Amino acid sequence: FCKLVNEKGLTALNARLDGDVDLGGDIAMVGTNNHNYSGTFDGGEHTLTLNWNAGSGHWKSPFYTVENATIENLRVKGQIKSEGKGHTGLIQNAYGTVTVSGCVSDVDLTCNNPYVESQLGGVLSSIYYGSDVTFTDCIVKGNITATTNKGKKGIGGFVYNGWALNTTLILNNCLYIGTNNATGGSTFAKNATLTNCYYLNACGKPQGEQATEKQLK
C-alpha cells in the first residue's frame, strides 16, 4: 500500500485492513513530501503494530503526509524512538480537510535529541496553513517521553503543532489517558475547539475535563 501511494502516486487510493498487521522494525509510512495521501483508510477495528528505532531520523509516523484524507477505525500500538524529533502515533503532517474518527494510539514515543524541542504528538505533529482537521471518538494511551529538558517543552498529548494560521482544529469525544514527562505543550492541542474531551493525566497545559479512575472503569 505504501509503495502504491508513495512510488506509483496513487494518492487517492482507498484501503481497508482485513486483519492485524505487525510491521516490526520496518519503517513503512504512507505519503511523502511529493505524494500526499488523500484517500479513505479504514482500519476495520484492526491493529497496526510497530517497533521503530529510527536512529538519528526525524518525523516518523504511520501516515507521513495526508491531504483531504479520512482515517477511521484504526488502532496503532508499539513504539517509536530515535535521537531525532517529531514522531507521532498516527499522522505527521495534515493539509486541507482531514477527518480522523474511531482511532486509538497506544504508541510509546521517545526523543533523545538534546538540541531541539521533541515535537512529539500522540496522533498528529503539524497542521498546516488553511487546513481543517477534526478528531472524533479518538483515544491516546501511549507514553510520551523526551529525555532532555529542552525536549520536554515540545510535547502534545494529541497534537504537537496546532497553531498554524487560518486553521480549524476540532476534537469531539476524545480521551487522553497516556503518560508523559512534558513541561510544555497542551494535553490536546493549542487553539483547538474541544467538545466532551477528557484526560486522566495532563500533558503540559490541562485541557478538557479531568476524568477519575472510577469514571474510566
Side-chain angles (χ1 to χ4, degrees):
F1 177 63
C2 288
K3 288 181 178 179
L4 290 173
V5 174
N6 302 348
E7 298 177 14
K8 301 295 184 181
L10 301 179
T11 56
L13 191 65
N14 298 329
R16 186 178 191 274
L17 284 184
D18 289 329
D20 296 339
V21 175
D22 189 346
L23 289 175
D26 183 11
I27 300 177
M29 302 187 291
V30 180
T32 68
N33 288 328
N34 297 319
H35 295 121
N36 298 346
Y37 179 64
S38 60
T40 295
F41 188 95
D42 184 355
E45 309 292 342
H46 297 296
T47 300
L48 177 69
T49 302
L50 40 86
N51 183 16
W52 293 354
N53 187 340
S56 60
H58 304 300
W59 305 302
K60 305 305 179 188
S61 303
F63 291 84
Y64 180 73
T65 305
V66 300
E67 182 174 8
N68 300 325
T70 296
I71 302 173
E72 57 192 13
N73 308 320
L74 177 64
R75 285 87 172 95
V76 186
K77 73 175 184 177
Q79 66 172 343
I80 303 174
K81 61 181 180 179
S82 82
E83 301 296 326
K85 60 184 179 180
H87 313 313
T88 84
L90 191 62
I91 302 169
Q92 185 61 223
N93 306 303
Y95 296 84
T97 301
V98 176
T99 301
V100 182
S101 63
C103 291
V104 178
S105 172
D106 187 7
V107 181
D108 295 336
L109 306 170
T110 305
C111 171
N112 295 320
N113 194 307
Y115 306 110
V116 297
E117 290 188 0
S118 59
Q119 299 181 19
L120 301 174
V123 286
L124 174 64
S125 181
S126 297
I127 174 175
Y128 280 82
Y129 177 87
S131 299
D132 298 304
V133 179
T134 302
F135 289 93
T136 302
D137 301 331
C138 293
I139 300 174
V140 171
K141 56 193 299 187
N143 180 55
I144 306 177
T145 303
T147 60
T148 66
N149 289 333
K150 191 173 183 65
K152 294 174 185 178
K153 298 178 181 179
I155 294 176
F158 261 66
V159 181
Y160 162 68
N161 180 357
W163 56 84
L165 295 176
N166 197 30
T167 60
T168 301
L169 180 57
I170 297 173
L171 293 95
N172 301 313
N173 306 327
C174 291
L175 176 64
Y176 177 75
I177 52 175
T179 55
N180 63 85
N181 67 347
T183 59
S186 301
T187 298
F188 287 96
K190 187 175 182 180
N191 296 338
T193 299
L194 308 179
T195 302
N196 197 36
C197 292
Y198 293 83
Y199 68 94
L200 180 60
N201 307 297
C203 180
K205 178 183 177 182
Q207 291 177 301
E209 183 176 341
Q210 188 168 25
T212 65
E213 292 277 6
K214 182 178 180 180
Q215 286 175 317
L216 291 174
K217 183 177 180 180

